Amino acid sequence: MTNDYKSEKTETVTARINKQTLDKLRSYAKSENTTLNSAINQLLSHAVDWDVVAAKTSWIPIPKDILISYFDKLDDATIIAVAEESGKHVPRDMLLAMRGKLDVKEWISILRSRAKASGFHYAEILEDDYVKFIMKHDMGMKWSIYFQTYYISSFNMLGCDAEFSITNNTVSYRISKKDYSPDDA
């Protein structure tokens, strides 16, 4: 699901952009098959929603291969224990630091931003009374187990029930529309 900037209130500003940066922005917009304006809005939105605050909340970039290697050396019981414990506390701290409140919609916003920053495919699909979220991480079953357990703990901490399904490289979950309305996001 992408933001529909046409329905949001906008303002026009004039900014000087380094030619090399502008060329990169144009190239990015072309590769994404979108307009320069839309690409700039998407990139700025991601920057203020994630990049600016992530480092301040202890997030650091680590190459995927290193994380996969570490997790491959852990047994499932250890992964589950760590994920359960961190899922009870880390989301609370992140939500308060990054969004200023404990809220399911804001938590999903963080998950969406984190998936994008990590280069994961992320999709939201509207079903009858539910919203289904799919994240393809390509990091193996141990990461799927970690994500599932971590997300279960985090949604429970927020008082939200979620149904999960995992594969070797994908985590999907669905929650009731009453807990999350993407129209309000």
Side-chain angles (χ1 to χ4, degrees):
M1 175 172 284
T2 59
N3 288 334
D4 182 3
Y5 294 103
K6 293 177 184 174
S7 66
E8 295 178 11
K9 291 184 178 187
T10 62
E11 291 185 33
T12 301
V13 298
T14 301
R16 292 196 178 275
I17 300 174
N18 172 292
K19 182 176 177 354
Q20 203 171 29
T21 301
L22 186 56
D23 289 344
K24 289 177 185 177
L25 287 168
R26 286 185 175 121
S27 177
Y28 173 78
K30 185 175 181 178
S31 72
E32 294 294 311
N33 198 27
T34 190
T35 66
L36 178 61
N37 185 66
S38 181
I40 290 171
N41 270 301
Q42 290 171 15
L43 292 168
L44 285 174
S45 178
H46 181 73
V48 298
D49 285 344
W50 181 259
D51 296 336
V52 172
V53 292
K56 293 178 183 177
T57 58
S58 300
W59 284 95
I60 59 170
I62 297 176
K64 202 186 241 191
D65 292 343
I66 292 172
L67 292 175
I68 292 169
S69 179
Y70 283 141
F71 265 63
D72 284 347
K73 293 172 181 25
L74 298 173
D75 61 82
D76 290 358
T78 301
I79 292 169
I80 290 168
V82 169
E84 282 178 347
E85 188 60 31
S86 60
K88 292 176 186 174
H89 305 289
V90 173
R92 177 184 308 275
D93 293 340
M94 286 183 64
L95 278 162
L96 292 174
M98 295 177 84
R99 301 296 197 265
K101 61 183 174 179
L102 299 175
D103 181 272
V104 172
K105 292 176 196 175
E106 295 299 335
W107 179 235
I108 291 171
S109 171
I110 288 173
L111 298 180
R112 182 185 309 116
S113 294
R114 188 177 73 180
K116 182 174 182 175
S118 300
F120 298 160
H121 170 75
Y122 182 87
E124 298 177 20
I125 301 166
L126 298 175
E127 296 179 338
D128 294 328
D129 294 327
Y130 296 90
V131 182
K132 185 175 188 176
F133 304 88
I134 302 167
M135 182 181 71
K136 187 171 187 300
H137 55 79
D138 291 328
M139 294 179 70
M141 182 54 80
K142 290 187 181 263
W143 273 95
S144 289
I145 292 167
Y146 174 82
F147 281 132
Q148 174 179 286
T149 307
Y150 179 82
Y151 289 168
I152 287 171
S153 291
S154 66
F155 281 112
N156 285 343
M157 181 271 301
L158 292 167
C160 176
D161 290 325
E163 298 172 15
F164 284 83
S165 174
I166 61 173
T167 68
N168 195 44
N169 291 303
T170 304
V171 175
S172 66
Y173 55 98
R174 70 182 206 160
I175 63 173
S176 171
K177 281 184 182 175
K178 70 177 175 55
D179 291 325
Y180 173 75
S181 174
D183 296 334
D184 297 337

